[in-house]
Amino acid sequence: MPIHVLSEEVVSQIAAGEVVERPSSVVKELVENSIDAGARDIRVETRAGGKRFIHVTDDGCGVPAIEAELAFRRHSTSKLATADDLVHITTLGFRGEALASIAAVSQVTFVTRAAAEPVGTLVRLEGGRVVAHQESGRPPGTAVTVEELFFNVPARRKFLRSEQTERRHVDAWLTRYAMAYPALRFTLAHDGRVVFQSPGNDRLRDVLVAVYGLEVGAALLEILPDAPLQSQIANQQIGKSANRQIGKSANQQISKSPISNIQVTGFVSPPSLHRANRGFITLFVNGRWVQDVRLTYAVIQAYHTLLPSGRYPLAVAMVHLPPEDVDVNVHPAKSEVRFRDGDAVFRAVQKAVRRTLIERSPVPVAVHVPTAWPVAAPQWREEQRERLAHLQPQPAAGQLRLEAERLEAVETPGRALEPPAGRLPPLRVVGQLGTTYVVAEGPAGMYLIDQHAAHERVLFEQLLAEHERAAIASQALLEPQPVELAPESAALLEEYLEVLSGLGFQVEPFGGTTVLVRALPAIVAQADPRQVLEDVAAALEMSDVPLAGTLVEAVAARVCKRAAVKAGQVLAHAEMEELVRALEKCASPRTCPHGRPTMIHLSVEQLAREFGRSVNASTS
Ligand code: ADP
Ligand code: MG
């Protein structure tokens, strides 16, 4: 083919490809525009994972009527005028590409009203061409609707993943911006259902509670400000005035002492809270979410020797530094940045996190722990609450609320707080009760153990340990078995084949919604493959929340539930012995993987009390 210049249409589609990869990229760009427009309230709605419909509204400054069409021209922006401006960008956008790119590959309706104008404007574009432009009523602000993404780029459309996956990417972006801008209120709805909302009260901890749940949100430690902050600010001011005297600009001064100008804020997990991968380390630079291997490592390094090997912290860290010390114009999607002094930023992050851990984490979070975990004893919670009130060094009102609700969470299945560390004492099996419970005796009284829940716990810890060593026992089926699944389940399984194979599944797509099962984890090899796979799909679906516990753990918990002995199953004495011995070895023997108690403990004191005996009078 001879060399020729590409047509305008092809050029714009290629360019669009760099900015718009999937529905979440559209959401990201539109939300960035809303933030740049000074909005306080940003609402996002999608249908079909955003493939068919994305709607973003804001109460920002809006676009004047005469500029509404111009906003869609490539390289048109109100945020940048000269190349010099590139050096100190304070807005999220600046390339003037997003609206043009989105419009090139979808059908966009843009309704906007600048506060000073009496009426709004509606512009509609299809494949980049304006098909309507008219007046339209709306309150000040902007609403953008993006329909039929990639309708004119079938190759791209084919690459989109399942609705759940696309939704998850949207969730991830929205929660990132909610964390970066706690003063703004973000609302996200999928298919008519609100799935996330941040309070917009300028408190990052409250956003973290909305994202990670109460338990994690309450446990996170706020990164301490750099100790000599006051003196630093004072120094800066001295520096500035000194500069003025010798005729230098403040900027030059800043670039000379970059370290004192790097601030790190946010929250990090105490060493007792960790995750199986580094995906829970979220970083922002000047309000922009970034992917940065080195800074991620800086956070991990701060936990050196504090975490078990193979475990990673959870962190939301914001780096603030003068805009001229960071280049955000590295990539069209802007999730990579380049620092003028990368080492200084690395040190600042590592130091801030380490300092926080050292100063904050020795303080016991869970206050006093009773010797035995009195499962399902409501009055214990009252006691604990009282004790909490005494021992807490007068927390702020909000904090107290969080702490109190944290105790509440203890009994909520699913997200239960880990019981206090401390393994089981050696127990003597007495017998089985109602073919459901194992009765056992220990130094501190009587234990009633739920055989199913206990077995789940045992299998779960074994499976995860094997997974860690990449040594999960997998058992091939005699004959590979095709299993037809619900479309959603099939899509989910196919997406996570790798996670599954790490857990001992050998499953492959078999056309349509059928998968071929070649092997299962040995512990469920006797079960019905269809049931096992439906279980797994359900687990994947449930952990379809951004950043919830790890997928591996969710799937493992389901598999173990299926594999564990059931209530109603008669157990021989030796089997009960084996179960109890295995439970004694568990790190968290007192709850099942889903957070339900595995046992009820009746202490010697309680028994004595119930029988009206005085506790110390052993001779009576
Ligand atoms: P950029 O954000 O890089 O400037 P965009 O293509 O995303 O480029 O947007 C082009 C311009 O349209 C912006 O510079 C801004 O002036 C205007 N604009 C886009 N979205 C909004 C919005 N939600 N509110 C106000 N103005 C907007
Ligand atoms: Mg933009």
Side-chain angles (χ1 to χ4, degrees), residues 29-38 56 58 60-64 67-68 70-73 75-80 91-102 110 112 141-144 334:
E29 294 294 341
L30 296 180
V31 166
E32 287 189 353
N33 282 347
S34 297
I35 295 171
D36 284 345
V56 177
D58 69 50
C61 65
V63 179
E67 293 177 12
L70 189 59
F72 284 88
R73 284 257 290 280
H75 312 305
S76 65
T77 177
S78 58
K79 303 169 192 174
L80 196 71
T91 50
L92 292 166
F94 56 87
R95 299 172 61 110
E97 285 181 331
L99 290 184
S101 299
I102 294 167
F110 188 77
T112 187
T142 304
V144 189
K334 296 167 291 192

Side-chain angles (χ1 to χ4, degrees), residues 463 466-468 470-472 496-505 552:
L463 199 65
E466 287 171 14
H467 182 259
E468 200 102 303
I472 288 201
Y496 294 108
L497 285 181
E498 229 171 282
V499 172
L500 297 185
S501 84
L503 281 166
F505 288 88
V552 169

Side-chain angles (χ1 to χ4, degrees), residues 240-260:
K240 276 184 194 166
S241 48
N243 280 335
R244 218 168 292 134
Q245 282 166 6
I246 51 171
K248 274 190 185 165
S249 78
N251 280 354
Q252 279 168 299
Q253 166 64 20
I254 285 168
S255 59
K256 263 193 187 159
S257 56
I259 296 173
S260 64

